[in-house]
Amino acid sequence: MTTYDFCVIDGGIVGVATAHQILTRHPGANLVLLEKASELATHQTGHNSGVIHSGIYYPPNSLKATLCRRGARWTKEFAAAHDIPHRVCGKLLVAADDAEYARMLALHERSITNGVAVELIDAAELARREPRITGVGALFVPDTGIIDFTQVTTALADEVRAAGGEFVLGAEITTLTETADAVTAAGPTGSWSARRLVACAGLQADRMARAAGLRRDFRIVPFRGEYYQLPQERAGLVRTLIYPIPDPELPFLGVHLSPTIDGALTVGPNAVLGLAREGYRKGSFDARDAREILGFTGFHRVARANVRTGLRELRDSLFKRGYLAQCRRYCPELTLADLLPREAGIRAQAVLRDGTLVHDFMIERTERSIHLLNAPSPAATSAMPIAEHIVDQL
Ligand SMILES: Cc1cc2nc3c(=O)[nH]c(=O)nc-3n(C[C@H](O)[C@H](O)[C@H](O)COP(=O)(O)OP(=O)(O)OC[C@H]3O[C@@H](n4cnc5c(N)ncnc54)[C@H](O)[C@@H]3O)c2cc1C
């Protein structure tokens, strides 16, 4: 059996960026990338808002704050060099009332600390820029953009193949065995050994960590992000991305209006507990996933601490009227007829046993492997700097 120099598990944007970065630093190395789905970008990478974030929300000096800023720059440059459609349309964070306005001012401070250009605007200026949007004030982030991250992944994968990287699709890894010389990743379709291994398994990251014998006590809790799409004739309703002011306690940004790069206008995503990590249809249920979530103490702690938010999200998921009310806080003219179905995404959110929702990217290692355990938004924007950060430690 060949022993590869490097093995990467993850056909999403972070895994493919990591393979790219490895071959950039080690030209001629032999590398295999293993992905259990039959295509790249099947899970989070192919089901997101497509926003190139700027890095305003995150605590200064966190991995998210530093890697997102660099990632936004890298994403735009890579897209320009590879003719990948993208647009820097800017984003407005809209305060709907005085309490949100106070939180918005805190975000303004944080943006300045994080070195991200922002502009505070008043209600009149907001109405001038986006006449269909209302609020008591807003924060404008000019550098935020939109893109299709699947296209970025495909372009990166083409370069990995051109540099000699091998892709094996349909390869689900269920065991990892590490010896003094190599790590062997194996599953029903085969086994692959490599001197070094990187796993960024997204929604399965905790299972991969357990297979590697990592001690960190956490579980991936899937949070569904349900979207709607506006009728095509309403797609020009806004020019910029429109976001609410987020709850700083939660790692989710709130239901937003997002123009997509292919000309649609979406609204979403909410954040509802999922009972199937990879079940995209509403009501999807997977017995193993449900058992592991509901049997985890950390989940019970999160649930207890967020009962009201959780129930509200569930109600708004079941009854469109509640969902609509969230959007009408900043776009009052939306009606139920505007909310057309669109496929959901599912966030892989790491939760620790003590009930902490992990906000930052989280990485752990063994002697020969590195595991990305928590890579929620803005990990698509930050994919290449995350890859650099991983390869620095490989
Ligand atoms: C609703 C939603 C909205 C988002 N919006 C944005 C946004 O606007 N901007 C942004 O920057 N980020 C956004 N994100 C976050 C972003 O999509 C993810 O952070 C990013 O795609 C993570 O990439 P990844 O490669 O780590 O994970 P994934 O894309 O989930 O890929 C993980 C891959 O590993 C494979 N895998 C798992 N287990 C195994 C195994 N045992 N064997 C083999 N293969 C395995 C899976 O099949 C999967 O393809 C959003 C996410 C969601 C869900």
Side-chain angles (χ1 to χ4, degrees), residues 83-362:
D83 286 332
I84 298 172
H86 66 291
R87 186 155 61 86
V88 180
C89 53
K91 141 170 157 177
L92 281 161
L93 283 122
V94 179
D97 56 31
D98 291 345
E100 289 190 4
Y101 193 83
R103 296 211 311 263
M104 186 188 82
L105 292 181
L107 265 179
H108 181 234
E109 288 298 311
R110 179 164 278 184
S111 316
I112 294 166
T113 314
N114 283 348
V116 181
V118 283
E119 188 189 348
L120 264 182
I121 62 174
D122 62 16
E125 180 59 14
L126 171 63
R128 195 190 66 73
R129 294 190 192 186
E130 289 288 1
R132 325 296 272 274
I133 301 299
T134 55
V136 296
L139 204 55
F140 179 58
V141 192
D143 290 339
T144 307
I146 52 174
I147 196 162
D148 175 355
F149 288 111
T150 299
Q151 291 190 29
V152 179
T153 310
T154 306
L156 280 168
D158 288 346
E159 294 192 347
V160 171
R161 284 193 193 91
E166 197 182 311
F167 285 72
V168 185
L169 301 178
E172 179 173 12
I173 300 308
T174 49
T175 63
L176 294 173
T177 315
E178 190 163 330
T179 63
D181 308 319
V183 191
T184 301
T189 58
S191 79
W192 295 264
S193 287
R195 307 234 175 272
R196 303 272 167 205
L197 179 138
V198 179
C200 319
L203 287 153
Q204 311 292 338
D206 52 344
R207 290 175 180 156
M208 201 55 69
R210 283 206 295 278
L214 288 177
R215 296 252 171 97
R216 177 67 79 119
D217 197 358
F218 77 105
R219 195 122 321 159
I220 291 294
V221 174
F223 280 96
R224 294 173 58 76
E226 295 163 341
Y227 292 90
Y228 291 99
Q229 176 165 343
L230 271 68
Q232 200 50 43
E233 64 274 14
R234 304 270 276 160
L237 195 72
V238 290
R239 286 177 305 157
T240 53
L241 292 147
I242 308 291
Y243 276 62
I245 306 297
D247 176 345
E249 296 305 314
L250 295 174
F252 311 121
L253 301 182
V255 166
H256 44 89
L257 269 176
S258 313
T260 67
I261 200 64
D262 58 2
L265 182 60
T266 67
V267 56
N270 60 358
V272 202
L273 174 70
L275 291 177
R277 297 187 187 202
E278 298 178 2
Y280 289 89
R281 296 212 351 236
K282 204 172 254 188
S284 291
F285 179 82
D286 178 282
R288 180 184 176 205
D289 292 348
R291 210 172 42 241
E292 286 191 8
I293 299 159
L294 301 175
F296 182 56
T297 315
F299 167 71
H300 291 279
R301 293 191 168 134
V302 172
R304 267 201 303 277
N306 297 282
V307 176
R308 282 184 55 196
T309 314
L311 290 176
R312 195 194 61 221
E313 288 288 316
L314 181 63
R315 181 202 65 198
D316 295 351
S317 161
L318 295 173
F319 306 104
K320 243 171 151 178
R321 205 171 282 284
Y323 197 109
L324 178 69
Q326 288 189 47
C327 324
R328 284 176 61 147
R329 282 174 62 77
Y330 52 77
C331 187
E333 70 180 70
L334 289 179
T335 67
L336 281 177
D338 285 323
L339 302 186
L340 305 179
R342 186 176 172 98
E343 195 173 37
I346 305 176
R347 304 176 187 84
Q349 175 59 52
V351 176
L352 306 183
R353 180 162 292 274
D354 67 3
T356 306
L357 284 161
V358 181
H359 285 241
D360 209 358
F361 304 140
M362 182 165 80

Side-chain angles (χ1 to χ4, degrees), residues 10 12 14 35-36 44-45 48-49 51 171 173 208 227 375 379 381:
D10 170 11
V14 179
E35 165 55 55
K36 72 181 166 64
Q44 295 175 93
T45 300
N48 57 45
S49 303
V51 175
I173 300 308
M208 201 55 69
Y227 292 90
T381 304

Side-chain angles (χ1 to χ4, degrees), residues 55-63 65-66 69 109-111 113-114:
I56 62 162
Y57 299 103
Y58 319 114
N61 302 322
S62 60
L63 283 174
T66 33
R69 254 189 346 260
E109 288 298 311
R110 179 164 278 184
S111 316
T113 314
N114 283 348

